[in-house]
Amino acid sequence: MEKALWYLLTATRGGANRARIIDALSERPMNANELAQELDVGYKTIRHHVELLEEHDVVESGDESYAKLYFLTDRFDNYRDTFEQIVAQMDE
Amino acid sequence: MAMGPLITAAAALAGLNVLLLLPLVGVWVRNFTTFRSGLVGGLLTFAVAMLVENALALYFFFSMQSFYAGDPHVQQAVLVLRTVQFVAIAVLSYSTLR
């Protein structure tokens, strides 16, 4: 998971936006529309990033079929330090 | 003296590799300035080295044709190596640009 986070957030083109999505979901669970508004990014882009984050077990979704909420996984919570380390470098 | 078709194909692949590596280098330069992480530094170094390698290969194809011309087996081997490298870089590009 630690390596996956570094790779997903720092080594790929969409990494910075994915980090912002995790940041937003740390505040509270949101659906794709809310995330798109919050980050000022297109809905389709959000869906794409969230799918990748789900693939890597960073994010999970509720079972609603409409306006599905996205949460950070418990597994991610164990690596929050790694995430903080990554974004600390971003803010400089 | 014209290049043989196999070497021409190998040169085209080397050119294609350069075109694929440029956006990769771009992404990693940008991310390195953002994150300064060792991981991205390593990836960036890797991509730049590959870029240099392909540029050199192109230079050799054009400047040392007599070196390849004598033996079709050499030309085949060169083409196989370029093809495998193209596959490697294409897959890496897909993962990185997603």
Side-chain angles (χ1 to χ4, degrees):
Chain A
M1 172 70 115
E2 189 182 338
K3 285 271 180 287
L5 277 177
W6 277 101
Y7 169 77
L8 264 181
L9 304 180
T10 74
T12 54
R13 191 171 56 124
N17 268 338
R18 296 197 252 272
R20 291 169 67 213
I21 288 175
I22 295 176
D23 225 11
L25 293 177
S26 304
E27 305 290 316
R28 62 180 178 87
M30 293 185 201
N31 63 40
N33 253 326
E34 292 173 313
L35 280 168
Q37 276 175 9
E38 179 86 14
L39 305 182
D40 199 17
V41 173
Y43 175 81
K44 266 197 138 80
T45 312
I46 293 282
R47 285 299 304 264
H48 163 79
H49 287 316
V50 167
E51 261 165 44
L52 266 178
L53 290 170
E54 276 185 304
E55 246 176 64
H56 287 84
D57 201 21
V58 174
V59 164
E60 59 194 337
S61 56
D63 1 353
E64 313 86 338
S65 53
Y66 177 74
K68 201 182 279 191
L69 280 178
Y70 294 106
F71 310 76
L72 295 171
T73 61
D74 293 344
R75 194 159 161 231
F76 168 79
D77 263 329
N78 298 332
Y79 291 92
R80 188 163 281 282
D81 295 353
T82 305
F83 176 70
E84 297 298 343
Q85 211 184 327
I86 292 171
V87 284
Q89 294 179 301
M90 243 175 105
D91 300 334
E92 279 165 18
Chain B
M1 169 182 143
M3 279 200 289
L6 291 175
I7 291 298
T8 306
L13 278 171
L16 209 52
N17 285 343
V18 168
L19 288 181
L20 278 174
L21 284 161
L22 286 174
L24 280 183
V25 169
V27 166
W28 287 329
V29 164
R30 219 181 44 205
N31 286 20
F32 189 70
T33 54
T34 308
F35 293 103
R36 295 266 156 222
S37 81
L39 173 67
V40 183
L43 289 167
L44 182 56
T45 310
F46 169 82
V48 170
M50 287 305 255
L51 204 55
V52 171
E53 196 265 355
N54 278 286
L56 279 174
L58 270 171
Y59 170 72
F60 291 148
F61 292 150
F62 284 99
S63 69
M64 307 197 334
Q65 283 167 33
S66 56
F67 176 72
Y68 300 104
D71 191 345
H73 292 298
V74 170
Q75 297 178 22
Q76 256 169 13
V78 163
L79 181 58
V80 167
L81 291 179
R82 282 301 128 198
T83 307
V84 173
Q85 194 187 111
F86 169 73
V87 170
I89 293 172
V91 171
L92 187 63
S93 296
Y94 173 74
S95 299
T96 303
L97 301 177
R98 275 179 86 185

